[in-house]
């Protein structure tokens, strides 16, 4: 039987077993997917098990996504650019590391806001932490004209822009109104929105009427940012879809079937939020 896993520390909160378990049943692939708690010091030993053929691959979550980059035998170029790996696949040549977060981000928008990237000229990205990197790489892959990267700590945004290159202009969150007037996509990659936090003074009235607003935060599913955007009649896409879509390439690589993100799967995961 083909076995796959998600490793993290802690791991109990992970929804990946639910997602992959649903697809294992749906597509009758005769595999398994298990959550394994691996402490950082135990990561090299776990890699030996993986290389020994016990598993076909798996997912990597907090706090291992960066550390794993140095442990894989082959690194997908986009994972290298992002600097983080969330998916491992065992191949003849060894373990290959991918980052499917950027695919999840794009897949979510493609499914839930079709046409979002047609002639997309300007985008505002809020937040310049770890999650922001995959989003910037994803946006660059769709040839966006200009990305306004706004962060509480402007210096962190500037460092990221220099590292990644491309059409990224940096600023503070207080520059939102000055920057967002031509943006047809607004993305929150920061942790603002979790645990009753919200952006203070973010003026969505300047955003074009046909803009899409999306949030990586999915607990709560409707963040204050998304609620505000909806109230203004803007199209919104919540972050749960990204979680579901980032799982697709891994499942396909391990089990040989490209799974679908269906309303049924979404409801299953939503019930656990
Ligand atoms: P992640 O890996 O989830 O992106 P992170 O690397 O800690 O986590 O980044 C968190 C992001 O949320 C950062 O952009 C952070 O801004 P700073 O770089 O200024 O720290 C942002 N963030 C967290 N709390 C915030 C708050 N209360 N207001 C504004 N931005 C906040």
């Amino acid at each position: 039987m083909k076995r796959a896993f998600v490793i993290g520390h802690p791991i109990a909160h992970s929804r990946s077993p639910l997602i992959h378990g649903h697809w294992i049943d749906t597509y009758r692939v005769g595999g398994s997917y298990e959550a394994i708690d691996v402490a950082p010091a135990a990561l090299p030993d776990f890699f030996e098990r993986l290389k020994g053929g016990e598993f076909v691959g798996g997912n990597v979550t907090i706090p291992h996504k960066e550390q794993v980059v140095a442990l894989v035998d082959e690194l997908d170029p986009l994972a290298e650019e992002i600097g983080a790996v969330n998916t491992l696949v065992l191949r003849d040549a060894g373990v290959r590391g991918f980052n499917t977060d950027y695919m999840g981000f794009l897949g979510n928008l493609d499914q839930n806001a079709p046409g979002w990237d047609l002639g997309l000229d300007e985008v505002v990205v809020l937040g310049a932490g770890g999650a922001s990197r995959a989003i910037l790489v994803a946006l660059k892959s769709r040839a966006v004209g200009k990305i306004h990267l706004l962060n509480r700590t402007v210096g962190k945004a500037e460092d990221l822009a220099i590292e990644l290159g491309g059409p990224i202009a940096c600023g503070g969150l207080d520059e939102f109104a000055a920057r967002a007037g031509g943006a047809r996509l607004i993305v929150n990659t920061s942790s603002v929105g979790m645990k009753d936090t919200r952006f203070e003074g973010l003026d969505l009235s300047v955003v074009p009427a046909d803009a899409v607003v999306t949030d990586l935060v999915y607990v709560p599913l409707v963040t204050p940012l998304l609620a505000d955007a909806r109230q203004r009649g803007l199209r919104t896409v919540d972050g749960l879809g990204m979680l579901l879509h980032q799982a697709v390439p891994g499942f396909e690589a391990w089990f040989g079937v490209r799974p679908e993100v269906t309303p049924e799967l979404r409801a299953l995961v939503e019930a656990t939020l």
Side-chain angles (χ1 to χ4, degrees):
M1 185 172 69
K2 290 178 174 179
R3 291 173 67 195
F5 58 80
V6 55
I7 53 169
H9 186 68
I11 196 62
H13 64 282
S14 173
R15 288 169 176 100
S16 292
L18 183 61
I19 298 169
H20 289 287
H22 173 76
W23 285 335
I24 284 169
D25 293 344
T26 303
Y27 299 103
R28 300 200 171 97
V29 294
S32 72
Y33 186 97
E34 60 204 275
I36 305 175
D37 194 310
V38 176
L43 206 49
D45 282 348
F46 184 80
F47 259 72
E48 289 312 308
R49 281 175 67 187
L50 175 55
K51 287 175 189 181
E54 200 174 323
F55 303 100
V56 289
N59 288 120
V60 179
T61 188
I62 293 166
H64 301 317
K65 286 186 180 187
E66 286 85 19
Q67 198 186 339
V68 151
V69 169
L71 293 171
V72 297
D73 300 302
E74 299 177 340
L75 194 55
D76 179 70
L78 283 169
E80 187 171 6
E81 195 176 355
I82 296 165
V85 161
N86 75 335
T87 301
L88 301 170
V89 179
L90 186 68
R91 292 180 166 182
D92 291 339
V95 179
R96 189 170 174 89
F98 297 87
N99 187 308
T100 65
D101 285 334
Y102 82 94
M103 304 178 208
F105 172 74
L106 295 173
N108 187 26
L109 286 176
D110 289 343
Q111 184 176 53
N112 296 302
W116 67 276
D117 60 342
L118 288 177
L120 184 63
D121 195 27
E122 290 188 42
V123 172
V124 170
V125 174
L126 303 167
S132 183
R133 304 173 68 99
I135 304 313
L136 294 170
V137 170
L139 290 171
K140 287 202 299 174
S141 79
R142 294 287 173 99
V144 174
K146 186 172 188 176
I147 300 169
H148 299 275
L149 179 60
L150 308 184
N151 196 41
R152 178 176 61 180
T153 312
V154 181
K156 270 174 72 180
E158 286 167 344
D159 289 348
L160 196 51
I162 290 167
E163 197 189 323
L164 294 179
I168 305 175
C170 303
L173 295 172
D174 55 346
E175 289 175 55
F176 183 83
R179 303 281 201 127
R184 288 193 19 255
L185 178 69
I186 312 290
V187 186
N188 176 40
T189 72
S190 81
S191 51
V192 178
M194 292 177 187
K195 298 179 183 143
D196 288 332
T197 56
R198 59 181 306 138
F199 289 107
E200 298 300 337
L202 206 73
D203 183 8
L204 286 182
S205 71
V206 303
V207 173
D210 61 348
V212 174
V213 180
T214 186
D215 207 322
L216 267 53
V217 174
Y218 59 87
V219 182
L221 200 52
V222 182
T223 60
L225 176 68
L226 294 183
D228 196 8
R230 281 184 190 178
Q231 207 169 30
R232 291 176 186 280
L234 299 170
R235 270 197 296 174
T236 62
V237 177
D238 65 52
L240 181 57
M242 179 170 160
L243 175 74
L244 305 176
H245 280 275
Q246 64 77 29
V248 170
F251 188 90
E252 184 177 19
W254 307 319
F255 301 118
V257 177
R258 188 163 180 86
E260 247 188 282
V261 174
T262 57
E264 187 190 2
L265 173 65
R266 199 186 141 88
L268 202 65
V269 180
E270 203 177 320
T272 69
L273 299 183

